[in-house]
Each structure stands twice: as C-alpha cells, then as structure tokens.
Amino acid sequence: MKYYKLEITDKNGAPVVDEAGNPIGPFDTSKTPGRGLHIDFDALITGYDVVSSGTMIAIFGLPVSMLRQSVKLAGGQVNLEAGFSEGLPLANRFQHGLIFSGQIYNAYGNWIGTHQSLNLIVNPSPLLNDKGQALSITLDGKKGEKLSDVLRRALHAAFPNFTLEIDISDKLILAEDGVGVYPRLGQLAATMRSQSFAMINSDSYAGVQMVMQNKIIRIFDNTVSANAGGIMILPQELIGQPTWIGPVSVSFKCPMRADLRCGDTVELPANIISGPSSLLSVNNDRSYAVQRNTVNFTGKFLITSVRHVGQFLNPDNSNSWVTIYEAIALAK
C-alpha cells in the first residue's frame, strides 16, 4: 500500500501547532493503512549545477485553523517519508524512507472549489544561519592538493551539522592555488563541475556533481562509486521500459522508493522482455531473435537525477506514486 509520513517542526525542532493549539501533524498513513489525507508533491533531486530549487508539497483536508495566516510555518523544517508498506504482492516495505527534507521558504492556504490545502514551498538547503546571514563557503586550496580534501575542509566549516559523502577521482588535483568565497552551494557546484572537466579531459568523464538532501551533502563523479558492485534493479521494480534520453543517458521509472540516491550505481536487468522472469513475452513470428532474448540495453549506470512524484489518492498506479531516475552509462 502507498505510505507517507509528513512531519512539520519549527526552527527549534518542536512540533508546530495551529491557532487552537492542536499540533499540525505528523501525518502518518502507517497508522491508517490504505487511507489518509491526500498529499501532492513533485520533488526533483539533482546536481546543484543543474537546479538548486526545492519543491512544493500540498496536503488536503486540513481544518481552517491550520490554514489561517496566524499559523507561522516559514523557516520550519519538513521531513517527508514515502514509499510502500505491506499489502501489495510486489510492494517492498524495506525501500521506503526519507525522500525529501528541507526548510519551509513559504507556506499558504489555498482553496480550489471545495478543496482546501496547505501548500509548503520547501528549500532543500538551509536558508540562513543563526545570524540571519546566508552561509558562505570559503575555499583555501593549495597547489597539489586533492580537490576532495579541499572541498571536505570547506564544506565542513560551512555546514558543520551535515554529513559529507565525497566519492570523486584522486586525479582531480589543483594545478594552482584555489581560493574563493561562494555564498551558495549552487555557485560552488557549477564552478567545480567546470573545473573538473578541465582537470580530467576525457570524453567519458561526466564531471563532479553536488547534491544536498536530508542533511547529507553528496559529491560524486563517474569514476568512483560508494557501491561499485551496483544495486540490481529487479524486473518487477520497473514501470515500463528504460529509455535512452541522450548519447550515454537513460531514464527508468520505479514504484516510489527511497533507497536509491544520486551517485549510486545500479544495474538494469537483462531479461525483462523474454525469459522465466520476463515482464513481456515476445514470441510471435514477426519478432526478431534478439528481441526475444534481451532488452534494448542493460549494464551498470550512475544515477544523476532522482524525481519523486506523488499523488496519494490518485488511482493511477503507473504514474501517481513513482520515482523517475536519470542515469549515465559507466564505461566497461
């Protein structure tokens, strides 16, 4: 069954209450399997050099006391867990978890006809520090240092409460002193992506990417992976066929899951068209032999983009509660 848990807290981590003193959430469908308030979101998680915006989460069916302007939510923290719980034959409850977290940039109540909702515009990165100033990242790299060491030192100073996961090539070495001040992570990500291409001049190199999500800053490229063996995608975990979207880029869709993140290596199955565990059997006279035995492509891929799309009460199970991945092929 579809599952979500939405938690809203203030800047200090305490539960938020409405004007009547009632807590706003947490909204947890595990306590009411098969039913719950309708929630709508479309969360894109990808490198900060591509996009650094957050997402909007709307929850329907709340009382007016939770929608009034006196309820101040801006600056609060949002944690959204989603996936599937026990109930459906192919649902995997071990794949649900935290898919999105961040600070509320703006919150407002909305009415469309007879439907009213609480809408939260959430930024995945911290907006301001304790002094009300934007966090700045200061690089103080020296000639000959590894880029990974320079980034680890700078990001730890700027984001002491975040976990750093850096998996990039040791060949990324500064050819000269690298110093600079970056007010936002997106500016640093764009600069590092450009500089990494200059350091490793190769057609197969994808560059350094940075992702901040769920109190974790992950920096990766396509030369090092935290799970080099690759996470196997099972045939029943795919919705539709994987599709080429670029020379070395693919897109595939799964039922909503939280266990795959940007920077992970996955392996697509080889037998989803034909075979004992196939999703589609192609055995007519007009099908080619290659189509009966293999898929369009298979192999290992590095995830570069994760998009969670959720509409809790929408009955369209092929599109309403899914995760869409974009990945690049890894050199053999």
Side-chain angles (χ1 to χ4, degrees), residues 1 23 29 57 108-109 170 186 198 219 230 239 241 247 319 323 330:
M1 295 182 182
T29 62
I57 302 172
Y108 60 92
D170 289 337
I219 305 175
I239 299 177
Q241 268 273 20
N319 297 289
T323 302
L330 292 177

Side-chain angles (χ1 to χ4, degrees), residues 37-38 58-68 108-119:
L37 296 178
H38 181 59
I59 183 167
F60 295 77
L62 299 179
V64 176
S65 62
M66 295 184 183
L67 306 180
R68 297 188 188 278
Y108 60 92
N110 195 26
W111 281 263
I112 302 177
T114 57
H115 301 284
Q116 59 190 35
S117 63
L118 175 63
N119 296 263

Side-chain angles (χ1 to χ4, degrees), residues 61-314:
L62 299 179
V64 176
S65 62
M66 295 184 183
L67 306 180
R68 297 188 188 278
Q69 293 297 324
S70 59
V71 179
K72 300 186 182 300
L73 298 175
Q77 178 74 20
V78 169
N79 295 318
L80 177 61
E81 296 182 11
F84 287 85
S85 59
E86 293 179 343
L88 296 176
L90 298 179
N92 189 340
R93 63 186 178 89
F94 298 106
Q95 293 178 348
H96 79 243
L98 189 66
I99 64 170
F100 192 86
S101 68
Q103 283 187 299
I104 300 174
Y105 178 74
N106 194 10
Y108 60 92
N110 195 26
W111 281 263
I112 302 177
T114 57
H115 301 284
Q116 59 190 35
S117 63
L118 175 63
N119 296 263
L120 307 173
I121 300 176
V122 184
N123 190 319
S125 63
L127 301 176
L128 301 172
N129 59 18
D130 295 335
K131 299 180 181 179
Q133 299 174 344
L135 293 170
S136 295
I137 306 167
T138 303
L139 294 186
D140 59 349
K142 304 298 182 183
K143 180 180 178 180
E145 275 193 290
K146 293 181 181 179
L147 181 61
S148 57
D149 295 335
V150 177
L151 292 176
R152 189 182 305 276
R153 187 167 60 245
L155 292 173
H156 180 73
F159 303 99
N161 297 324
F162 280 62
T163 300
L164 299 179
E165 296 181 359
I166 303 178
D167 297 303
I168 59 177
S169 174
D170 289 337
K171 296 180 180 180
L172 294 171
I173 299 176
L174 298 184
E176 59 184 6
D177 291 350
V179 296
V181 178
Y182 301 88
R184 310 297 290 171
L185 188 64
Q187 298 170 341
L188 174 63
T191 301
M192 292 300 103
R193 184 81 182 275
S194 176
Q195 289 188 2
S196 64
F197 282 124
M199 294 178 185
I200 300 180
N201 188 9
S202 172
D203 293 337
S204 62
Y205 187 60
V208 171
Q209 290 185 270
M210 299 184 186
V211 176
M212 176 187 288
Q213 190 59 53
N214 307 338
K215 292 278 187 178
I216 297 174
I217 300 176
R218 197 169 201 186
I219 305 175
F220 61 93
D221 59 16
N222 63 331
T223 63
V224 180
S225 176
N227 53 336
I231 300 173
M232 176 61 71
I233 304 295
L234 301 178
Q236 66 267 23
E237 293 175 341
L238 286 173
I239 299 177
Q241 268 273 20
T243 305
W244 288 107
I245 57 176
V248 295
S249 302
V250 301
S251 176
F252 60 95
K253 181 165 62 173
C254 299
M256 187 171 293
R257 55 192 297 178
D259 60 327
L260 298 181
R261 304 177 298 161
C262 291
D264 283 345
T265 299
V266 297
E267 185 173 356
L268 294 179
N271 297 316
I272 56 178
I273 284 186
S274 183
S277 61
S278 65
L279 300 183
L280 176 64
S281 179
V282 182
N283 292 315
N284 58 60
D285 295 337
R286 296 182 180 180
S287 62
Y288 296 99
V290 66
Q291 291 178 323
R292 292 197 299 266
N293 298 315
T294 62
V295 295
N296 294 335
F297 54 87
T298 185
K300 294 183 180 181
F301 297 83
L302 180 74
I303 296 176
T304 58
S305 173
V306 179
R307 181 186 175 193
H308 301 289
V309 179
Q311 294 179 322
F312 185 71
L313 296 182
N314 189 332

